[in-house]
Amino acid sequence: ETRDILNRAGHVIIDDDDNTIEKDNADGKPNDDNILEFELHDDLSHEQVDNSHLLKTDTTVFPLGKSRPFPSCAECIAYYPPLDLSDHIKEDVSLHQMFNFLNAEPPQITRKKPPLPVEQLVVARTANAASDDALPAQLGIITRQGSKMGANGHIFNQDRIVIIRPFLPSVPESFFIGIFDGHGALGHVVAQHAVEQLAATIFDRVTNAATMPTEEEIGVMLTEAFRTVDRTAPPNAASMAGCTASIALRLSSSLGSSSSKIYFANTGDSLSFLAGGATGSILHETAKHKPHLPLERMRVEQAGGFVILPPDGADMEQSRVFVPDGSEPGMGVALAMSRSLGDWSAAKVGVIPDPGISSYVPTKVGESATIVVVASDGLFDRVPPVILAQRLTTERGILSLESICEQLVREASGSWKDMGIMYRDDISIAVLEV
């Protein structure tokens, strides 16, 4: 019955072979001394604002194409995936052909001008982009549309992902990197809103401050920005759909000092982490917000909600928050996370937009640079973070980051196919050498 509810809701059923490492203590808090916690008590009500401008473009289409200026900062560049791997082979196909089409393997990405070689990396850092046809060597970003004909019939990509570098004017080492994974019938609309508005909201709050904000002030700014994006989402979408949000950002160029901290903010079950060292260790990782975790479950139940737990011995990450739809007793959707942007109907049962916030000061580890990674669960559910960290670090001297990302997305696609079900989640990853 739970599986049927999940399929009707369009939420991913996490497989039993998830190899991710449990990162939480018995109290539900991450094992991280750098975690930041803030208590905000401002109004969480949802504004009925005019968001019609967000629907003037086709939000079912991933914003692909060459890099473009970040609207809030003329000298800042926003990088989106240059293409969707599934669109790479797209031809006119009928709906009944879509499943086979989405499981076909696209040809290798080719570029008129390939990314700069590793030995020119230092030179590349001085340019916003190598060319219209090549990404800078120190970043990679790619997505692949899922195959969801066995679930709710989506035939478009609900992931949104972006790298903005630099993020602040006159601060070349600043950056913003984020993944927004939509769920529900209009989850892509909420994710589109988030990818457009979250970075802009944070930028405005930081640049309007009289001085560079302190660590505590940055934590408050991030939480308030997530809440703002949540309550200003398009009501027609956010009332019954939502998205995750996992971001990392740096605001200072004082590398090696405490002011060069990378801040992480995560809502939902996407992930961000830092990889480094000669063999690719995970230096820092965000925590997912899953309903079974003690603090998350406590909040949901105190709000009158109900957490669906998997059978004994099953993967606890299959836990769900049951959200009644009001049609009749026992009918509703089962949300795979206890926090998200949007999902306003779930707010009454304790689902909130507030992010978990942490920070880390990166340093050079051995001869390998630190790499920040954000990705959707379509990748992490099939390729564990520890493997991603190893691959990105050890293969960095042989392949471009873009090429490594492409290979990882292809491998995750194959792993979904090997499960023998008519489902593959959208898969997205963005990486940045810092």
Side-chain angles (χ1 to χ4, degrees):
E1 291 174 348
T2 299
R3 184 175 294 269
D4 289 339
I5 291 174
L6 295 174
N7 280 337
R8 287 197 300 272
H11 298 298
V12 176
I13 300 173
I14 300 176
D15 64 282
D16 294 333
D17 298 325
D18 186 8
N19 295 316
T20 56
I21 300 173
E22 182 62 55
K23 304 293 285 188
D24 295 272
N25 295 317
D27 62 359
K29 294 183 178 180
N31 291 318
D32 194 329
D33 295 334
N34 292 319
I35 202 74
L36 306 176
E37 294 187 2
F38 305 92
E39 290 293 331
L40 299 182
H41 302 286
D42 53 325
D43 182 19
L44 284 179
S45 61
H46 299 112
E47 300 174 3
Q48 295 301 309
V49 297
D50 180 12
N51 291 292
S52 58
H53 64 287
L54 296 176
L55 303 178
K56 291 179 180 178
T57 58
D58 185 0
T59 54
T60 67
V61 178
F62 200 103
L64 304 171
K66 65 182 182 180
S67 60
R68 66 203 72 174
F70 176 45
S72 298
C73 170
E75 65 187 80
C76 306
I77 302 297
Y79 299 93
Y80 297 92
L83 51 81
D84 185 311
L85 277 180
S86 293
D87 287 340
H88 197 28
I89 57 170
K90 183 167 287 186
E91 297 176 356
D92 290 333
V93 292
S94 60
L95 187 61
H96 73 272
Q97 295 174 308
M98 190 61 69
F99 176 72
N100 289 330
F101 150 66
L102 288 173
N103 280 281
E105 281 304 307
Q108 199 77 12
I109 293 176
T110 58
R111 301 258 179 230
K112 295 178 182 178
K113 297 178 182 179
L116 296 177
V118 175
E119 57 268 21
Q120 295 182 27
L121 184 59
V122 175
V123 177
R125 280 202 178 99
T126 65
N128 285 328
S131 74
D132 286 351
D133 301 301
L135 294 173
Q138 67 273 36
L139 64 85
I141 183 168
I142 198 166
T143 188
R144 189 177 191 188
Q145 176 183 318
S147 173
K148 303 180 182 180
M149 297 304 293
N152 59 359
H154 286 172
I155 55 173
F156 39 80
N157 194 331
Q158 292 194 299
D159 283 356
R160 298 292 184 268
I161 194 164
V162 67
I163 300 173
I164 303 173
R165 175 187 167 275
F167 181 57
L168 298 177
S170 304
V171 187
E173 295 292 343
S174 63
F175 65 81
F176 174 101
I177 181 171
I179 173 72
F180 308 89
D181 182 354
H183 53 258
L186 293 175
H188 52 284
V189 177
V190 181
Q192 181 71 32
H193 168 75
V195 77
E196 292 176 351
Q197 299 301 318
L198 185 59
T201 302
I202 295 171
F203 178 90
D204 289 343
R205 292 178 183 271
V206 172
T207 55
N208 288 333
T211 61
M212 179 60 70
T214 65
E215 182 172 289
E216 183 174 358
E217 290 170 339
I218 290 173
V220 172
M221 285 181 178
L222 290 174
T223 301
E224 290 177 340
F226 272 62
R227 289 182 171 187
T228 296
V229 171
D230 170 71
R231 65 174 174 256
T232 60
N236 65 316
S239 59
M240 290 297 293
C243 73
T244 69
S246 192
I247 70 166
L249 76 158
R250 181 164 62 196
L251 304 176
S252 171
S253 290
S254 302
L255 298 180
S257 69
S258 59
S259 60
S260 69
K261 281 186 176 181
I262 296 176
Y263 292 88
F264 295 84
N266 187 79
T267 289
D269 58 3
S270 294
L271 282 179
S272 304
F273 68 85
L274 280 175
T279 58
S281 302
I282 294 181
L283 307 178
H284 183 83
E285 183 178 358
T286 60
K288 297 179 181 179
H289 294 123
K290 304 299 288 187
H292 71 279
L293 297 175
L295 290 181
E296 299 298 300
R297 182 178 179 181
M298 181 186 302
R299 187 187 65 252
V300 169
E301 292 179 344
Q302 287 178 346
F306 175 69
V307 173
I308 302 172
L309 297 176
D312 291 342
D315 181 5
M316 290 300 292
E317 289 206 352
Q318 294 187 45
S319 61
R320 300 292 189 266
V321 176
F322 179 69
V323 184
D325 62 13
S327 60
E328 58 182 276
M331 295 301 294
V333 299
L335 193 61
M337 63 209 72
S338 52
R339 304 190 190 196
S340 68
L341 301 180
D343 290 310
W344 294 351
S345 62
K348 61 181 178 290
V349 293
V351 176
I352 61 175
D354 296 14
I357 301 172
S358 57
S359 64
Y360 188 87
V361 180
T363 57
K364 294 283 185 177
V365 182
E367 297 181 352
S368 299
T370 304
I371 299 173
V372 62
V373 182
V374 300
S376 59
D377 61 351
L379 180 61
F380 284 129
D381 283 351
R382 309 312 307 162
V383 183
V386 64
I387 300 300
L388 291 176
Q390 292 171 357
R391 294 280 299 277
L392 287 165
T393 303
T394 59
E395 297 177 12
R396 179 68 183 94
I398 303 172
L399 300 172
S400 68
L401 288 175
E402 182 187 32
S403 296
I404 300 171
C405 289
E406 180 183 352
Q407 289 188 7
L408 290 168
V409 170
R410 290 174 180 274
E411 290 171 16
S413 298
S415 181
W416 279 102
K417 186 176 181 180
D418 290 343
M419 293 175 65
I421 59 175
M422 292 183 62
Y423 187 94
R424 183 184 71 238
D425 202 3
D426 301 321
I427 305 172
S428 300
I429 181 174
V431 302
L432 176 66
E433 185 177 281
V434 298

